[in-house]
Amino acid sequence: MYRSKDMILRSRYSKNALSKKESSLTQHYNHDDDKNISENRTQQCLRNLHLSKTVKQYCTNSTLHGLRYIGDSNLSIGERIFWIISFSLAVLTASYYIWFLYKKWTSSPIIISLSPESASLNEFPFPSVTICNMNNVRKSEATRIIAGNDIQEKLLLEDMCDMENNQSTTYFNKSTITWESIMDFLINTSQPCKDMLHLCKWHGNVTDCEKIFNPTMADEGICCNFNSVHKKYLFYNPRDWPDLNITYPSNSIDWNPEIGYKNVPSDSIPWRPYGAGQYYGLTLVLDADAEDYYCSSTASVGFKMLLHNPVETPKIAEFAFSVTPGEETRVIVTPRISTASMSIISVPQKQRKCFFTSERKLRYYRTYTQRNCILECEANFTQKICKCVQYYMPKSSNTPICGKKDTGCATDARRAMEVELYDDNIGITSINLSETPSCNCYPGCFEIGYNVEISQSKLMANVIVSDNYVKKSKEYFTKNMAVVHLFFVESQFTKYMKNDLFGFTEFLCNTGGLLGLFMGFSFLSLVEIVYFATLRLWCRVYKNRHATQDNILHVQPFDSSTNLVYPFVQ
């Protein structure tokens, strides 16, 4: 009986095992793809589940204001929606103000403020002084030229005195006149500095005027200049510029507003003021010689005077002030000093609107200033459009000189330069601006200029005057002579400094303040977001994945070759 039951159990088990094996083989071939799809869906569901749990956990534990109410499942759906809307409005408001702050930072990053450190007199030079007699041509020279047979000198005389003559267009040509002939004509017809300057006092001491004043080329002819740097420090190619018997009693240094005075002797040129007041200034007695006037640049008799940077060439006709003979003129000088913080060099040039010396190179001038840039740009426009330049403009030695018949063209070129200098979107129909050079003449980040206050009083013949001031007679003195005093009235002056309006630190502080005001945001809040979005989520996914693999029950299929041991087997 036991054997018959054992045989029945063996046969039933064998049939069940065989049927299971066949069904497992069939399922292996029929459901392989379904198994992969099911696994992918399961993994995706797990990820979404982990992500939702991580987000909920972040909202519950976040330090940002309002998020814990959104993640609190004990609150009603209406309360949670209320906090979602409130938090969203706070984020949008903070984002709006941060964007407004960013636009302000990028559009106007520079602020010009008063420097807390004032400039003393030994930190900047005494202004360079250029004086020109309004008499363009001396009467004695004009008489000689008119009586002579030199056609070229006659045409130059007409040009200087702005006279009309049909011969100008018939005989005058840019190729027939040279720079040497222009220079010789100006030297012969202009009043020499030794005749113009009767007396000079520098720092309270009477000084030989020829030692401290040098002739210079300007748009008013040959003028007299005081305290400019040597031409080798002014131009790249000083050989292209005339040497008008220029002498320097002291050593001239390579000075510019950015480097200033560093470890140089106190008497280096450009000279610095020794102190405030008329005694430490510059006193001049000028002789106009009104009887020798032939043609004047204005409708009056006297002088034009300009105070400028020692590394600039003057433009007398446009910016000089008048000094009248028969009057004593007091010129109170006030420097206008602009400096910049080196931190703004990282700000784009179009936003800070100034150039450091190393950033902008000119063709002729060694030192960049806005005045030098404008004059050089005008020369470039005139040469490009008119194929010549005015005699007083920066140029090469082989550049043609413009004559009277080129005045209209030179005026158009200057107008084109002014338009290109200040507004690139406006064009002049008569000139193709696309073929002309670009000016790009922003101010220098380090520059110095001079403001003047002028007061005048009349000279009287019946008043006792120092004999050093009088030339020939008192009547001649009151009619032809002008006494000028140039000096400072203070020893300390305020500087203007360009600095960052918003640096990165200020922008970060303002942004953090807005985020903290609206959301309670801090740096650790950002760390929380990064933590929950990366490390926390990864740890949760990794932990649950391994826990699922450990809980899987592995079932081995039936193998008929395996020896089974049954109970009750004899």
Side-chain angles (χ1 to χ4, degrees):
M1 184 178 62
Y2 289 123
R3 289 183 180 176
S4 62
K5 289 182 180 181
D6 181 60
M7 292 299 293
I8 293 170
L9 290 173
R10 285 173 180 256
S11 61
R12 288 181 180 178
Y13 184 83
S14 300
K15 290 179 181 180
N16 292 335
L18 182 61
S19 62
K20 289 181 180 180
K21 185 174 182 179
E22 291 177 354
S23 64
S24 65
L25 293 174
T26 305
Q27 291 178 358
H28 176 74
Y29 290 106
N30 294 337
H31 302 287
D32 187 37
D33 294 336
D34 294 340
K35 183 180 179 181
N36 294 333
I37 295 174
S38 178
E39 289 179 356
N40 292 334
R41 289 179 179 176
T42 303
Q43 291 178 1
Q44 185 66 31
C45 292
L46 289 174
R47 291 194 191 99
N48 294 336
L49 181 62
H50 298 329
L51 181 61
S52 63
K53 289 183 177 179
T54 303
V55 171
K56 183 178 180 180
Q57 188 178 11
Y58 169 73
C59 293
T60 304
N61 298 282
S62 176
T63 57
L64 295 181
H65 298 167
L67 285 183
R68 65 187 184 91
Y69 299 106
I70 298 174
D72 190 356
S73 58
N74 296 324
L75 297 179
S76 64
I77 188 66
E79 291 176 303
R80 298 174 73 178
I81 292 175
F82 169 78
W83 282 107
I84 290 174
I85 295 174
S86 300
F87 184 80
S88 300
L89 290 176
V91 172
L92 292 175
T93 306
S95 300
Y96 169 76
Y97 284 112
I98 291 173
W99 172 248
F100 180 78
L101 183 67
Y102 177 76
K103 288 178 63 178
K104 186 176 181 180
W105 180 39
T106 56
S107 61
S108 55
I110 301 300
I111 184 172
I112 300 177
S113 59
L114 298 178
S115 174
E117 298 181 359
S118 58
S120 59
L121 290 175
N122 61 351
E123 295 180 13
F124 58 89
F126 195 88
S128 181
V129 182
T130 301
I131 309 169
C132 302
N133 197 323
M134 294 182 184
N135 185 16
N136 288 341
V137 179
R138 291 184 293 162
K139 186 176 181 179
S140 56
E141 285 296 316
T143 304
R144 178 188 64 80
I145 292 173
I146 294 173
N149 298 322
D150 194 331
I151 301 298
Q152 183 171 277
E153 281 193 335
K154 291 183 178 181
L155 295 178
L156 290 173
L157 177 63
E158 295 168 4
D159 285 352
M160 291 298 297
C161 294
D162 199 19
M163 296 179 179
E164 296 292 339
N165 194 324
N166 294 331
Q167 291 181 349
S168 296
T169 56
T170 304
Y171 296 100
F172 187 81
N173 189 292
K174 290 192 288 286
S175 60
T176 62
I177 190 169
T178 62
W179 166 240
E180 287 75 15
S181 59
I182 284 281
M183 184 178 64
D184 293 339
F185 176 83
L186 293 175
I187 292 175
N188 293 330
T189 57
S190 299
Q191 185 185 28
C193 291
K194 62 182 180 63
D195 296 336
M196 181 192 300
L197 298 163
H198 174 65
L199 176 68
C200 298
K201 280 187 178 181
W202 173 234
H203 292 163
N205 300 317
V206 177
T207 309
D208 187 359
C209 295
E210 292 188 45
K211 290 183 178 180
I212 60 175
F213 274 86
N214 288 307
T216 184
M217 189 71 67
D219 53 347
E220 292 285 332
I222 302 295
C223 301
C224 304
N225 175 263
F226 166 80
N227 205 33
S228 283
V229 298
H230 195 280
K231 66 178 183 178
K232 67 181 180 181
Y233 300 129
L234 188 60
F235 303 106
Y236 281 115
N237 297 311
R239 292 177 297 178
D240 292 341
W241 296 85
D243 191 359
L244 302 172
N245 296 323
I246 297 176
T247 58
Y248 293 92
S250 302
N251 181 37
S252 181
I253 62 173
D254 188 10
W255 177 90
N256 65 60
E258 186 168 337
I259 63 175
Y261 294 93
K262 294 182 179 179
N263 301 322
V264 296
S266 59
D267 60 343
S268 300
I269 298 176
W271 286 307
R272 287 168 278 184
Y274 285 2
Q278 179 178 324
Y279 179 82
Y280 291 105
L282 177 66
T283 297
L284 304 173
V285 180
L286 309 175
D287 183 8
D289 196 6
E291 297 296 330
D292 203 20
Y293 265 59
Y294 179 73
C295 61
S296 176
S297 58
T298 62
S300 59
V301 175
F303 306 92
K304 290 183 179 180
M305 181 178 292
L306 179 65
L307 277 59
H308 55 91
N309 194 317
V311 293
E312 295 176 346
T313 54
K315 198 168 185 182
I316 301 297
E318 299 294 332
F319 306 108
F321 60 91
S322 300
V323 176
T324 306
E327 292 183 348
E328 183 175 11
T329 304
R330 290 176 177 266
V331 182
I332 299 175
V333 184
T334 304
R336 186 179 63 257
I337 305 173
S338 299
T339 61
S341 173
M342 297 304 295
S343 61
I344 69 171
I345 198 170
S346 59
V347 179
Q349 296 172 355
K350 290 186 177 180
Q351 294 181 354
R352 59 177 146 96
K353 296 186 182 300
C354 72
F355 290 115
F356 288 91
T357 304
S358 59
E359 293 179 321
R360 184 74 164 88
K361 298 296 183 182
L362 299 177
R363 180 180 179 184
Y364 301 105
Y365 294 99
R366 293 183 75 250
T367 301
Y368 177 86
T369 67
Q370 189 175 33
R371 295 269 188 210
N372 287 347
C373 180
I374 293 175
L375 187 58
E376 183 171 302
C377 187
E378 184 180 355
N380 293 336
F381 268 80
T382 306
Q383 184 175 0
K384 181 70 176 181
I385 297 171
C386 306
K387 310 302 178 185
C388 62
V389 296
Q390 302 286 2
Y391 70 89
Y392 59 86
M393 292 180 176
K395 57 193 170 298
S396 301
S397 56
N398 57 351
T399 304
I401 305 299
C402 295
K404 184 178 180 180
K405 70 184 185 65
D406 301 306
T407 303
C409 180
T411 302
D412 292 338
R414 181 179 178 183
R415 188 181 300 114
M417 183 272 297
E418 293 287 344
V419 171
E420 189 77 5
L421 183 65
Y422 298 111
D423 192 351
D424 296 337
N425 298 321
I426 301 177
I428 297 178
T429 56
S430 61
I431 296 175
N432 185 7
L433 291 179
S434 62
E435 298 180 356
T436 55
S438 176
C439 291
N440 195 22
C441 290
Y442 289 131
C445 295
F446 289 81
E447 280 201 349
I448 182 170
Y450 299 92
N451 298 327
V452 297
E453 296 179 16
I454 302 173
S455 61
Q456 294 176 322
S457 58
K458 192 171 182 60
L459 297 175
M460 301 295 293
N462 57 353
V463 176
I464 298 177
V465 183
S466 174
D467 293 338
N468 293 334
Y469 286 26
V470 178
K471 184 178 181 180
K472 295 183 180 180
S473 64
K474 283 194 174 182
E475 289 74 15
Y476 183 89
F477 171 74
T478 56
K479 183 180 179 180
N480 295 274
M481 309 292 283
V483 181
V484 184
H485 307 281
L486 301 101
F487 55 94
F488 296 93
V489 295
E490 297 179 5
S491 300
Q492 301 285 332
F493 298 93
T494 302
K495 297 186 294 185
Y496 294 91
M497 172 171 277
K498 285 190 174 183
N499 212 331
D500 301 87
L501 176 61
F502 283 118
F504 177 76
T505 303
E506 290 77 11
F507 176 74
L508 184 63
C509 293
N510 284 277
T511 302
L514 290 171
L515 292 174
L517 175 65
F518 288 98
M519 297 183 297
F521 188 90
S522 67
F523 178 76
L524 291 180
S525 302
L526 179 62
V527 175
E528 282 182 352
I529 296 174
V530 175
Y531 165 70
F532 277 96
T534 57
L535 184 61
R536 182 71 176 178
L537 182 61
W538 181 83
C539 290
R540 182 180 289 275
V541 173
Y542 180 82
K543 180 179 179 181
N544 291 334
R545 180 184 299 173
H546 282 271
T548 303
Q549 292 178 359
D550 294 339
N551 294 330
I552 295 176
L553 180 62
H554 298 277
V555 180
Q556 297 293 334
F558 175 75
D559 189 357
S560 60
S561 62
T562 305
N563 295 325
L564 299 178
V565 179
Y566 294 95
F568 313 111
V569 178
Q570 293 181 351

